[in-house]
Amino acid sequence: MGARICTQISVPEPQEALRFHDQAKGEQVCLDAQGCTASRCATFHDGIVFSQRPVRPGKCVALRVLQREEGWYGGLRVGFTRLDPACISSSNLPPFVCPDLVEQSPTWAAMLPEGSALVGDLIRFWVDHRGRLYAKINRSPRFLLRRDVLLGAPLWAVMDIYGTTKAIEMLALGSLHSPSAHSPVLEH
């Protein structure tokens, strides 16, 4: 793939708000000027997007589903990668995060349950300090997506605007309700 894998163990605490990386994105992805909204322009694939900076374990990435497109199967996929998006060429990205990017690189992602990412839904996902990838939709209980995320190096959020999911928005801390006692700290 030609991307650099980040192995640096200590990274300074991020100061800027989380948004989508403006260069490393699938060929069908369009971003708004602020880098907070990502939409897939056509077809059902080539919708991979990354966070512009690493996300620490225990910190939550929050998205809102803005648009769906019927006629496709499958939906939003979320996870984390050790690939530094600043070193990724969009033309080298595979069409799908699962299974392609997961099999080609140190990336851990999974599809949200079918029919669960509806327009207006708040999706939160995070990796805990034991390498477990969790997600939470609206006020539902958290659910486990994967158990095998390798820690010890920076992790960037990776999302695939796939299938019926057409557009998502990265949310800032001020846009969310207070997390429950079982939720991680929200990234801002």
Side-chain angles (χ1 to χ4, degrees):
M1 241 184 62
R4 185 183 76 179
I5 297 170
C6 191
T7 57
Q8 181 182 359
I9 293 176
S10 65
V11 175
E13 186 68 34
Q15 299 300 314
E16 62 183 311
L18 200 61
R19 62 183 189 281
F20 297 110
H21 194 280
D22 62 351
Q23 307 259 321
K25 56 189 176 56
E27 291 182 1
Q28 292 296 323
V29 173
C30 298
L31 298 177
D32 70 347
Q34 293 76 35
C36 295
T37 300
S39 56
R40 194 185 68 246
C41 303
T43 192
F44 63 93
H45 54 76
D46 290 315
I48 296 174
V49 289
F50 300 88
S51 61
Q52 95 287 10
R53 64 167 172 82
V55 178
R56 290 187 179 273
K59 300 285 185 166
C60 183
V61 177
L63 308 170
R64 184 170 319 279
V65 177
L66 297 179
Q67 188 179 1
R68 286 178 49 94
E69 181 176 43
E70 300 307 319
W72 303 114
Y73 178 76
L76 184 64
R77 288 120 201 282
V78 299
F80 291 92
T81 185
R82 283 189 174 178
L83 296 175
D84 182 346
C87 300
I88 295 175
S89 169
S90 291
S91 61
N92 288 337
L93 278 175
F96 312 106
V97 77
C98 300
D100 300 344
L101 195 63
V102 168
E103 291 176 356
Q104 296 173 12
S105 66
T107 298
W108 303 269
M111 183 175 93
L112 295 177
E114 185 65 33
S116 64
L118 304 175
V119 172
D121 280 354
L122 172 63
I123 313 294
R124 301 178 199 188
F125 66 98
W126 66 95
V127 63
D128 72 6
H129 295 283
R130 293 171 64 190
R132 297 175 299 194
L133 174 60
Y134 286 102
K136 182 176 174 66
I137 300 170
N138 298 321
R139 296 187 178 269
S140 71
R142 70 180 182 174
F143 52 93
L144 181 66
L145 292 172
R146 294 188 67 135
R147 301 177 182 269
D148 58 348
V149 180
L150 293 179
L151 304 177
L155 294 169
W156 284 263
V158 61
M159 295 127 289
D160 193 348
I161 308 166
Y162 175 81
T164 58
T165 306
K166 183 79 171 171
I168 57 176
E169 174 186 21
M170 185 92 64
L171 297 175
L173 179 60
S175 305
L176 303 173
H177 301 291
S178 299
S180 72
H182 299 293
S183 294
V185 176
L186 294 170
E187 215 20 285
H188 63 279

